[in-house]
Amino acid sequence: MAREDGAAVNSRDRLVSAEDEPDEKQLESALRPANLDEFVGQKRVRQQLSLVLEASRLRGRSADHVLLSGPPGLGKTTLAMIIAEEMGAPLRISSGPAIQHAGDLAAILSSLTEGEVLFLDEIHRMSRPAEEMLYMAMEDFRVDIVVGKGAGATSIPLDLPPFTLVGATTRAGLLPGPLRDRFGFTGHLEFYSVEELELVLRRSAGLMDLAMTAEGFTEVASRSRGTPRIANRLLRRVRDWALVHGIDRIDARTSSAALDMYEVDARGLDRLDRSVLEALVTKFGGGPVGLSTLAIAVGEETETVETVAEPYLVREGLLGRTPRGRIAMAAAWDHLGLRPPEHAAFQDPGLRAAFGGTAGAPAADEDAPPLFED
């Protein structure tokens, strides 16, 4: 995404992005829990998954296929690795975007060994031909390889050893019903509480041999947007700041100073988030304002504002999406230290009704022309 200053902007450029970054893979691997007992949070999913795996071990069979859904950074890849570890099976890792032809999937499936765990990240992005081949492989452990073309084409059945497919998706709604129904267990991962993130940080700090006070952990956890990946990333930045400044024991003041320098505020908002809120409040009186106008006001592309900044602002009740455009909620004015005018958009009964009167409710279809729009 291009900004007015020519710098490229996307979710990976942000310290508070939940997207996986290639240069972090080695660091993250060192912090990953090795089994379900070490995995922090997601209590219900852990309990259910533990039961599924234990039953499979007692039967002496491969575990049922597992579908893990939820926002990025919550531990779907980690759970896939734990499943393989708990079952004492090798793990094969691939992704939906990498499988664009049925032949790609056939090559992977035909090389699996008995009991192996196949992890497909972003499984909803697989091509349709590969997806249809996967149906038979999951259900009957068999695939049909088509050799030749036209009238002379021949279908050769290929038996597969029993295996466990672990699919991960951030967009469960995009999975077709037939594929979703073939998973024996489906777990949805939720955002973490501050208390759970503190446990994640304590474990990570121990592995990093980092001395930190309870208040220091709380400070970092409260700015981590409910996501362990972001929490560990912020912890590393705080560690670096403390190292450069010669601080041996990190407290709340140190954590706050470090994260303030990286422009991550007390609610986990970064520069882009605050720019959107400030433009909405100061330039447009709290809205309603159209998305493209708001994007121009902050010097970003429309897609950047909609997909990178808005989800967290809506979830935190700072921004509302109505049929007439985006509006600043009462919490946005408070966060910016401003007093909303009496005619602020969030006080309009008609606009409140557009999203059920609840901050952070799902977005309404923007059919009506918004104010301040081009």
Side-chain angles (χ1 to χ4, degrees):
M1 307 299 173
R3 290 209 315 258
E4 288 180 348
D5 58 5
V9 176
N10 58 46
S11 59
R12 294 185 187 276
D13 293 326
R14 310 170 73 212
L15 192 62
V16 292
S17 168
E19 297 295 332
D20 191 15
E21 296 185 2
D23 58 352
E24 289 186 335
K25 289 186 181 295
Q26 187 174 357
L27 292 171
E28 284 196 356
S29 296
L31 300 179
R32 290 188 195 276
N35 53 59
L36 284 175
D37 291 334
E38 294 181 5
F39 191 90
V40 177
Q42 312 298 338
K43 182 179 179 180
R44 184 183 298 271
V45 172
R46 279 192 294 116
Q47 290 176 338
Q48 295 171 344
L49 191 54
S50 177
L51 182 63
V52 169
L53 298 179
E54 180 63 24
S56 299
R57 284 194 294 265
L58 293 175
R59 293 198 312 269
R61 299 178 57 184
S62 297
D64 288 342
H65 303 303
V66 175
L67 177 64
L68 301 172
S69 65
L74 300 186
K76 295 185 290 296
T77 301
T78 299
L79 282 175
M81 294 179 175
I82 288 175
I83 290 172
E85 181 68 25
E86 296 274 356
M87 296 302 296
L91 176 67
R92 186 80 59 90
I93 299 178
S94 188
S95 65
I99 302 175
Q100 292 303 310
H101 305 283
D104 299 334
L105 180 62
I108 294 174
L109 294 175
S110 62
S111 63
L112 293 176
T113 58
E114 185 170 352
E116 191 166 355
V117 176
L118 172 61
F119 175 57
L120 290 182
D121 198 11
E122 295 299 299
I123 191 172
H124 64 272
R125 296 176 61 187
M126 271 192 1
S127 68
R128 190 60 179 268
E131 182 184 287
E132 292 174 351
M133 174 179 283
L134 192 58
Y135 295 162
M136 185 179 296
M138 294 174 67
E139 200 161 39
D140 302 326
F141 297 109
R142 182 174 70 90
V143 293
D144 290 333
I145 307 297
V146 178
V147 179
K149 295 182 179 181
T154 304
S155 179
I156 302 176
L158 176 65
D159 291 330
L160 304 174
F163 68 94
T164 297
L165 174 66
V166 180
T169 177
T170 55
R171 305 283 297 277
L174 296 182
L175 280 179
L179 178 57
R180 192 166 50 244
D181 293 343
R182 282 171 167 79
F183 286 96
F185 171 76
T186 300
H188 180 74
L189 277 59
E190 304 285 351
F191 286 105
Y192 283 57
S193 65
V194 171
E195 292 73 20
E196 289 173 332
L197 287 176
E198 287 181 31
L199 295 177
V200 172
L201 291 169
R202 287 179 184 275
R203 179 180 178 278
S204 298
L207 294 173
M208 296 164 61
D209 195 23
L210 190 63
M212 198 164 181
T213 67
E215 294 77 14
F217 286 121
T218 302
E219 186 68 26
V220 176
S222 64
R223 303 189 187 206
S224 299
R225 302 164 79 114
T227 307
R229 179 178 291 155
I230 294 175
N232 283 327
R233 186 182 299 149
L234 296 184
L235 181 64
R236 293 196 294 271
R237 298 291 77 78
V238 170
R239 176 201 59 186
D240 295 344
W241 193 92
L243 179 64
V244 170
H245 288 79
I247 298 174
D248 296 325
R249 187 172 178 81
I250 299 172
D251 56 14
R253 184 176 180 180
T254 301
S255 299
S256 178
L259 296 179
D260 285 346
M261 190 199 75
Y262 284 107
E263 298 185 288
V264 179
D265 69 20
R267 292 192 67 159
L269 274 62
D270 68 355
R271 179 204 62 81
L272 176 60
D273 300 320
R274 288 192 300 275
S275 295
V276 170
L277 288 185
E278 288 170 359
L280 186 55
V281 166
T282 61
K283 296 182 180 180
F284 304 107
V289 60
L291 175 61
S292 62
T293 301
L294 183 59
I296 292 171
V298 297
E300 300 287 359
E301 297 290 340
T302 301
E303 184 180 355
T304 302
V305 173
E306 185 174 27
T307 63
V308 177
E310 276 193 355
Y312 184 69
L313 295 177
V314 172
R315 180 161 66 86
E316 287 294 293
L318 298 167
L319 181 145
R321 298 173 62 183
T322 76
R324 297 179 63 192
R326 274 60 175 173
I327 65 172
M329 304 302 294
W333 297 85
D334 291 340
H335 185 68
L336 296 175
L338 300 174
R339 183 176 179 178
E342 294 182 1
H343 62 277
F346 70 86
Q347 297 177 350
D348 186 322
L351 289 175
R352 277 207 308 270
F355 48 90
T358 305
D365 292 332
E366 299 189 10
D367 295 327
L371 301 182
F372 301 109
E373 190 54 282
D374 303 306

